Amino acid sequence: MAMMTSPLGIEISPATTSLANQRFIEASGIGTTIRPDFVSVTWSAGGKDNPGKPYDLIQQLERNQLQVLPHLTGLYKTPTAITQELHELTRLGVKRVLALRGDVNHHQRPTGYFPHATNLIRYIKQHSQLKIAAAAYPERHPESDSWGTELFYLRAKVQAGATELFTQFCFDVPTIFRWLDRIHIADIRVPVVVGVLPLTSQTRIQQAEIMLGHPLPMELKNRLAVAQTESELRAIGIQVALEQIYSLQRVGVGVQIYTFNDVQLLQTIWKTIK
């Protein structure tokens, strides 16, 4: 079956120094041998700002004429801070952002201005010309009590100004397809990019289960359990990710690969799919 054209991008994170960003870009080949349709750049994790503010990394990627998609979180930000960030991103040449509520940090008090992603999306729409992407969850957001609630808030994001959806990773492709049917029936008609997370180690498996809030599918766990060494586990995890990418591309769904700034992982996957 011929694959339909769909965007293929990667997610990376800023380092703490400009030199470290430069070395990562050069070592990985991003912008030269590896030219994704977009590069998603994380901003914070666990409710804390990354000490390596993304501006330098974004600037280096823009110089390589790549489409950069910075993450922008609102839960602990003021309107003034968001406005400053929007101005800086626009100055750097950014055309679109991924608007997120942000992870909850129990040691920090939300400002109250952007309690939900919808509030942030609406503010960005009113105060910039940037295109806006929003997050989506094929297995429902952990805080959603029903699909009715999930689809209500997802539709609200689109109505507020989001023009594309980026999903949390999900290891069950049929579940992703059922979710695509759900949003279609709910008349949510915007492009979708699905996150793919390669399970390259036991640590990554544990992280994935914590982020998902439930164990991996039993079929996948059994497949990974065959590995006798970390290198075998890594190889199986990459193969699973490749199979998922192919399945999504066949139906024209966009893909974002979580790289964790793993140069070897990125090069291995890119060499295979390109």
Side-chain angles (χ1 to χ4, degrees):
M1 182 187 299
M3 291 186 184
M4 300 170 64
T5 302
S6 55
L8 178 62
I10 60 175
E11 180 187 277
I12 61 177
S13 299
T16 54
T17 67
S18 177
L19 181 58
N21 284 329
Q22 180 182 343
R23 286 175 172 168
F24 168 68
I25 290 173
E26 291 175 352
S28 63
I30 297 173
T32 52
T33 55
I34 294 176
R35 293 196 61 84
D37 295 313
F38 64 87
V39 181
S40 177
V41 177
T42 65
W43 195 286
S44 64
K48 296 180 180 179
D49 273 348
N50 191 318
K53 282 289 190 182
Y55 297 133
D56 175 78
L57 177 58
I58 291 168
Q59 189 170 38
Q60 294 195 43
L61 294 169
E62 287 282 350
R63 285 199 200 108
N64 286 333
Q65 298 182 320
L66 292 165
Q67 289 192 34
V68 186
L69 178 73
H71 296 194
L72 195 59
T73 60
L75 189 58
Y76 301 102
K77 306 281 181 61
T78 63
T80 298
I82 293 295
T83 298
Q84 291 173 344
E85 290 170 0
L86 293 173
H87 286 166
E88 182 64 14
L89 293 174
T90 301
R91 185 188 70 80
L92 292 173
V94 169
K95 300 295 190 296
R96 55 209 275 245
V97 293
L98 176 57
L100 306 163
R101 180 194 69 178
D103 296 332
V104 173
N105 176 7
H106 296 293
H107 301 290
Q108 192 173 1
R109 178 176 294 180
T111 62
Y113 290 104
F114 306 107
H116 304 288
T118 306
N119 307 111
L120 179 60
I121 292 168
R122 191 174 294 113
Y123 187 86
I124 296 171
K125 178 76 171 176
Q126 293 171 349
H127 293 84
S128 80
Q129 299 299 313
L130 296 172
K131 292 185 177 180
I132 308 166
Y137 301 84
E139 296 179 281
R140 293 210 320 254
H141 190 282
E143 296 173 19
S144 291
D145 56 9
S146 69
W147 274 111
T149 301
E150 180 76 15
L151 295 172
F152 173 84
Y153 283 108
L154 189 58
R155 188 183 296 107
K157 291 179 182 180
V158 175
Q159 291 172 341
T163 58
E164 57 185 331
L165 299 174
F166 278 65
T167 82
Q168 171 69 288
F169 56 87
C170 173
F171 297 104
D172 187 69
V173 174
T175 294
I176 295 171
F177 290 161
R178 285 193 294 271
W179 174 77
L180 290 170
D181 288 339
R182 285 181 193 274
I183 66 171
H184 184 80
I185 292 170
D187 202 31
I188 300 172
R189 309 290 178 91
V190 294
V192 171
V193 175
V194 173
V196 173
L197 189 155
L199 295 169
T200 53
S201 66
Q202 288 293 347
T203 298
R204 191 71 70 226
I205 291 172
Q206 292 167 5
Q207 290 174 334
E209 291 185 328
I210 290 171
M211 292 175 71
L212 288 172
H214 60 74
L216 300 180
M218 187 54 65
E219 182 180 351
L220 177 55
K221 289 176 76 90
N222 290 340
R223 187 171 175 184
L224 294 168
V226 173
Q228 298 295 312
T229 64
E230 281 289 309
S231 61
E232 289 181 5
L233 176 61
R234 181 181 175 90
I236 295 172
I238 291 175
Q239 181 58 38
V240 169
L242 287 169
E243 291 169 7
Q244 186 171 8
I245 291 169
Y246 293 143
S247 295
L248 295 167
Q249 287 185 322
R250 285 192 187 98
V251 296
V253 175
V255 172
Q256 172 180 262
I257 304 166
Y258 295 87
T259 71
F260 299 95
N261 288 28
D262 184 329
V263 169
Q264 186 181 31
L265 168 67
L266 176 55
Q267 292 177 339
T268 298
I269 290 182
W270 208 261
K271 185 188 306 180
T272 305
I273 59 182
K274 289 294 184 177

